[in-house]
Amino acid sequence: MPAKDVFHHAVKSALIKDGWKITDDPLFIKPSTRISLYIDIGGERAIGAEKDGQIIAVEIKSFLSMSPLAEFHTALGQFLNYMLALKLNQPERILYLAITEDTYRDFFSDPFIQLSVSTYQVKLLIFDPLEEVIVLWKN
């Protein structure tokens, strides 16, 4: 079982405050006989009485290291592998990368990072770690 990110509790709390039910902590996926993956959080929410519930998977990244670019490389690689695994096993689940609003403002505002996020269709969940609230869903 992988170690939890430093912001795991904050994101989980923010999701609950936003009306999500945490269904998996972590979300286990086995895309092949040799590969097992753990995504930080799985959740679901009913959108309306007549609509199907929406289900998500959330991978949390702190970006607290001395090299945010190296951390981004790791996060992007994980995100792409998790997206592929979900496509095989749970195609209805939407994958998000959770980052703090400081990281979003300071690092993800870079044009190259924005181009990467857009090119690889990385969906972002931006949160405030102190207030434990979701600030923005970026599809």
Side-chain angles (χ1 to χ4, degrees):
M1 188 87 62
K4 292 184 177 182
D5 188 90
V6 66
F7 293 124
H8 187 93
H9 175 77
V11 172
K12 186 174 176 179
S13 179
L15 285 165
I16 291 168
K17 287 180 185 178
D18 198 48
W20 292 88
K21 176 184 171 191
I22 304 304
T23 57
D24 302 274
D25 183 7
L27 173 63
F28 175 75
I29 300 176
K30 191 158 182 65
S32 71
T33 56
R34 294 184 192 165
I35 306 293
S36 296
L37 302 172
Y38 293 90
I39 302 174
D40 290 322
I41 296 174
E44 66 182 17
R45 175 166 72 177
I47 296 174
E50 298 178 10
K51 294 184 179 180
D52 292 331
Q54 185 180 19
I55 59 174
I56 60 172
V58 179
E59 180 62 17
I60 306 160
K61 291 298 174 199
S62 62
F63 286 89
L64 296 175
S65 74
M66 295 300 292
S67 176
L69 185 58
E71 203 163 340
F72 179 71
H73 289 159
T74 300
L76 182 59
Q78 281 183 301
F79 186 91
L80 294 174
N81 283 323
Y82 293 166
M83 195 166 61
L84 184 57
L86 287 171
K87 184 177 182 177
L88 293 172
N89 290 49
Q90 299 181 30
E92 68 284 357
R93 198 176 286 273
I94 301 166
L95 179 61
Y96 285 88
L97 176 64
I99 58 172
T100 66
E101 61 184 331
D102 288 344
T103 298
Y104 179 68
R105 181 185 59 248
D106 298 340
F107 182 72
F108 278 69
S109 62
D110 181 90
F112 179 77
I113 301 304
Q114 289 179 350
L115 179 60
S116 293
V117 166
S118 173
T119 299
Y120 298 112
Q121 300 175 2
V122 178
K123 292 171 176 40
L124 299 174
L125 182 163
I126 296 103
F127 67 97
D128 178 330
L130 298 177
E131 297 294 321
E132 297 183 346
V133 294
I134 296 170
V135 176
L136 179 66
W137 294 90
K138 194 124 167 89
N139 292 317

